Amino acid sequence: MPSKSRGLRTSTGCWTCRKRRVKCDEIRPSCKNCQRVHRECIYVEKPAAPHRPQALSARNPGHSSAATESLSSNCITEPTSDSRPMDGPSSEPVAAVDSWIPFLTGQSELPENGITGDGFFLDDNLFTFEDNLTSSFGPVEWYDLLAEDAISSMQEQPKSNRWNFDITSLSRKQSPRQELFPEPLDDLVSHVDAQAVSISAQLWNSVTKIDLKQDELVFFDYYIDVVAPILDLFDPAKHFANVVPHIALHNVGLLKSLLAVGACHMALERDQNYTNEATRQSQADTPALTSSASSSTQKIAEQFYYETLHYLSQNLLYQSYTSSIEILATGIMISTYEMFATAGTSDHSNWDRHLRGAFWIQRNTETNGESVNGLQRAIWWAWLRQDVWAAFRTGRPALTIHQPKVPMAELTSEELATRIIYIAAKCVQFAATPKQGDIVAYIEAGETLLRMLDAWKRTLPPSFEPIPIASVSQGEPPTSALADDRMVAIWIHPPAHAAAVQTYHFARIVMILNQPSTGGLNTYQTRFKLLRESTATICGIAIAQQSQNLPSAFVSFQAVYAAALCAETKDRQSEVLEILGTVLSISKFPSISILDELADVWSGEN
């Protein structure tokens, strides 16, 4: 019988009562509450209570292998090829892809609001979002946050760096205006696709296309050629390259934000190019180039950003604008700008706050990964990719509360590639959730996520499998004793599928390090092997020649960084650190200081 003490919450009642947050008398097969309201009464068996795990952000990778001892034997199938006792983890090389060990997928009957056809149900009440889901937060509050940060930043700069921009113009003091052409968002974006762009007739839009100045054309072109492919990696329709620029030519705010993103990333590119050129010139004893072009480009990016905020201050007065596709696209441009701005610092606070603002704009417009309109979906997935990394780095839960309705078996290969981003977000959410609450529900959520990962892996079509590559000629000996244990390049085509596989292994690492359970030596060995497999696969994809491009490097760095937390030897740490450095030289994001932080973690200083 459950405890009758005041304040204690039972975790053995039926699922229906627990979801309704009412006391259950636990009568089987149907409790009195369910009988009274004619609801289906469902009981879910509970596993044994485990030890409390450490959060991923607080875990010392030097002890990550020991932490794997707690893997539940009813979540992972034990290897049967060799069960002899061992003094420590095996040092034998692990196949990067073929030898992964699946989780059991047996499932109990679940509530009707589980994910259709998959039998997965995640209780978002378990996850702690702190003040991120404050119902009063909306586009206006988001803008006020942007303006406050911008004004603070400008006031810290000398007047010579502020251009001719009036800080007071960012103030939002007018009252909302009545509009002549109010339209719901569904009508505004229902016909937006890569071939035909429907521009809404609103006072805050330009009826004719905006003429680009020659200097603006440079950044506009750079955005389309360089930045948009990063955002479009998982989008076969390439909305950020093919659709957003056309919408921007009718909306000043979106256009200025697009130019700000292009200029900001160009400054990162030029900064590295000028540094490399200066090194070459100094070695040749010739006048060296300076980074003045880079700083000037960054200054231009800031000017475009402030002009974006000025446009927002004037047009958030229109209610239709606050629920438009234009503000959705502008929101993701601003968060992308803030993301690039963190490349020179380890401070992610501004970017993190603005991601939360974008989250609320999307909630107000009911934008998610299954929206009918393709551009809305593309914006949501681009935002979620950023939020997963920001949440992982800051130790907070990812912000998505979306529950997919379409089962995995009905997804296309492109939709499968994005579904793993959602699952990874939930895994980061799980890792950041305090364990002091309902530990049974926490374990259930972890097991559900492990089953979701397993189901995703089993659903993949052949296009997610590596293309066979002969690494060593037959009869040719390895170059060193460690050659057999070094990372082997893995080519998966198309690039979105390679990035999806890396994201899967990123999520699996997060879960293995955070899912509490009980187990002995065999379980420890199994978890250790899974971590090594995920590390080998992530790094193998990252070092493949086909991954040496900007869009792939963005995903590679994040996944390799998670894999680095599991590097168990000095040699493996050095190898992973070298891969991270190579990928970072391509991605230009995040700050290079993250490599120093990683070295501190390995040394036990953090």
Side-chain angles (χ1 to χ4, degrees):
M1 293 294 293
S3 172
K4 302 299 182 181
S5 300
R6 182 178 300 274
L8 290 181
R9 176 185 173 192
T10 178
S11 60
T12 55
C14 73
W15 258 108
T16 308
C17 288
R18 292 180 63 191
K19 292 299 295 179
R20 296 175 62 208
R21 296 182 179 274
V22 298
K23 184 175 178 59
C24 180
D25 59 19
E26 302 181 35
I27 296 177
R28 302 193 182 213
S30 181
C31 70
K32 289 184 179 180
N33 285 336
C34 292
Q35 291 178 17
R36 180 171 54 84
V37 295
H38 305 290
R39 293 178 183 270
E40 183 180 11
C41 190
I42 299 171
Y43 286 89
V44 179
E45 296 301 323
K46 309 295 189 302
H51 296 292
R52 183 177 301 167
Q54 289 179 298
L56 179 61
S57 58
R59 187 183 302 279
N60 187 328
H63 302 105
S64 62
S65 297
T68 61
E69 293 178 359
S70 61
L71 183 64
S72 173
S73 59
N74 57 8
C75 290
I76 291 186
T77 304
E78 299 290 348
T80 58
S81 59
D82 188 0
S83 59
R84 64 182 182 275
M86 299 181 67
D87 295 330
S90 171
S91 60
E92 296 179 1
V94 179
V97 175
D98 297 334
S99 60
W100 77 290
I101 300 175
F103 302 104
L104 295 180
T105 55
Q107 299 159 9
S108 306
E109 187 179 6
L110 293 167
E112 294 179 357
N113 54 347
I115 299 176
T116 307
D118 288 327
F120 300 126
F121 178 78
L122 276 177
D123 185 0
D124 275 326
N125 292 323
L126 170 70
F127 302 126
T128 301
F129 295 94
E130 299 175 346
D131 61 346
N132 295 318
L133 304 187
T134 305
S135 58
S136 62
F137 200 95
V140 172
E141 289 75 18
W142 166 69
Y143 169 77
D144 288 342
L145 182 62
L146 295 175
E148 179 183 349
D149 290 342
I151 291 173
S152 176
S153 175
M154 283 190 285
Q155 288 177 337
E156 293 174 357
Q157 298 178 9
K159 291 185 178 180
S160 59
N161 288 346
R162 297 184 192 174
W163 294 75
N164 295 319
F165 195 84
D166 183 8
I167 294 180
T168 61
S169 67
L170 300 181
S171 175
R172 181 187 52 79
K173 296 180 179 179
Q174 298 92 334
S175 301
R177 303 171 184 168
Q178 295 296 321
E179 300 162 74
L180 300 179
F181 312 105
E183 294 184 60
L185 180 63
D186 289 343
D187 294 337
L188 295 179
V189 301
S190 58
H191 303 296
V192 175
D193 56 42
Q195 287 74 37
V197 180
S198 176
I199 306 300
S200 58
Q202 296 288 351
L203 294 178
W204 37 266
N205 261 347
S206 172
V207 177
T208 60
K209 287 188 176 182
I210 301 170
D211 292 332
L212 292 174
K213 302 175 183 177
Q214 287 298 318
D215 57 338
E216 293 176 336
L217 184 61
V218 173
F219 305 116
F220 190 82
D221 181 68
Y222 185 90
Y223 163 82
I224 293 175
D225 291 344
V226 179
V227 179
I230 301 173
L231 304 174
D232 281 332
L233 176 60
F234 288 89
D235 180 15
K238 310 299 180 188
H239 283 89
F240 285 99
N242 298 336
V243 176
V244 171
H246 290 284
I247 299 177
L249 291 176
H250 290 269
N251 184 268
V252 173
L254 178 55
L255 177 61
K256 295 297 184 180
S257 66
L258 183 152
L259 296 174
V261 170
C264 187
H265 192 274
M266 182 183 287
L268 296 178
E269 186 73 30
R270 285 184 170 180
D271 186 49
Q272 179 167 349
N273 289 344
Y274 273 81
T275 300
N276 295 339
E277 181 65 20
T279 301
R280 289 193 295 268
Q281 295 284 2
S282 61
Q283 291 174 348
D285 197 25
T286 58
L289 295 173
T290 69
S291 60
S292 58
S294 173
S295 59
S296 175
T297 304
Q298 182 58 42
K299 190 176 178 182
I300 293 172
E302 293 173 359
Q303 176 71 11
F304 286 138
Y305 178 68
Y306 297 146
E307 290 175 0
T308 301
L309 298 188
H310 176 70
Y311 174 88
L312 289 171
S313 71
Q314 302 301 308
N315 291 279
L316 281 172
L317 309 173
Y318 296 103
Q319 188 171 357
S320 65
Y321 177 66
T322 64
S323 59
S324 67
I325 195 67
E326 284 81 359
I327 197 173
L328 278 172
T330 302
I332 194 63
M333 287 297 117
I334 287 176
S335 69
T336 304
Y337 172 89
E338 292 289 354
M339 177 179 71
F340 291 151
T342 65
T345 175
S346 59
D347 182 9
H348 287 190
S349 56
N350 284 354
W351 178 40
D352 194 58
R353 287 198 303 273
H354 300 163
L355 281 169
R356 303 181 196 196
F359 164 77
W360 269 105
I361 293 175
Q362 293 163 13
R363 284 206 69 186
N364 289 343
T365 56
E366 298 184 356
T367 296
N368 57 59
E370 293 181 334
S371 296
V372 174
N373 176 260
L375 180 53
Q376 281 184 276
R377 293 196 304 272
I379 290 171
W380 192 82
W381 288 117
W383 164 81
L384 186 60
R385 287 175 57 195
Q386 295 183 22
D387 190 62
V388 167
W389 175 248
F392 178 76
R393 285 285 291 145
T394 59
R396 66 162 173 83
L399 296 181
T400 179
I401 56 175
H402 170 59
Q403 289 274 14
K405 302 297 188 297
V406 182
M408 292 187 199
E410 298 179 12
L411 298 177
T412 65
S413 59
E414 290 78 13
E415 291 168 339
L416 280 170
T418 53
R419 176 62 64 86
I420 193 59
I421 303 173
Y422 163 79
I423 299 175
K426 287 299 181 182
C427 291
V428 171
Q429 215 169 55
F430 174 86
T433 299
K435 320 304 186 294
Q436 293 83 356
D438 189 345
I439 190 64
V440 173
Y442 185 84
I443 295 172
E444 290 172 352
E447 291 176 349
T448 298
L449 286 167
L450 293 175
R451 292 198 302 270
M452 290 172 70
L453 285 169
D454 181 71
W456 183 86
K457 183 71 164 61
R458 294 176 181 274
T459 308
L460 297 182
S463 59
F464 286 81
E465 297 176 359
I467 296 175
I469 303 175
S471 56
V472 180
S473 301
Q474 187 173 5
E476 182 179 339
T479 56
S480 70
L482 295 176
D484 289 340
D485 196 34
R486 290 188 63 82
M487 304 296 183
V488 177
I490 298 173
W491 180 19
I492 297 177
H493 184 77
H497 293 188
V501 172
Q502 285 182 308
T503 304
Y504 161 80
H505 286 282
F506 166 88
R508 192 168 79 165
I509 288 173
V510 171
M511 290 306 302
I512 290 175
L513 294 181
N514 286 273
Q515 168 69 343
S517 57
T518 58
L521 180 60
N522 286 340
T523 299
Y524 162 64
Q525 292 291 339
T526 300
R527 280 202 169 190
F528 184 81
K529 182 177 182 180
L530 289 171
L531 290 174
R532 293 196 73 204
E533 288 173 350
S534 289
T535 299
T537 302
I538 287 172
C539 294
I541 294 174
I543 65 176
Q545 183 61 39
Q546 295 76 15
S547 298
Q548 308 308 302
N549 58 78
L550 185 56
S552 297
F554 258 75
V555 178
S556 287
F557 185 90
Q558 298 170 12
V560 174
Y561 181 84
L565 298 176
C566 309
E568 72 282 0
T569 66
K570 291 291 185 181
D571 289 340
R572 181 51 56 92
Q573 290 171 2
S574 298
E575 187 177 9
V576 173
L577 192 62
E578 181 181 350
I579 295 173
L580 277 173
T582 301
V583 174
L584 187 58
S585 69
I586 301 173
S587 67
K588 313 295 188 301
F589 169 86
S591 169
I592 195 171
S593 64
I594 195 174
L595 301 184
D596 296 329
E597 294 175 17
L598 186 60
D600 291 341
V601 171
W602 281 334
S603 65
E605 295 180 14
N606 283 337

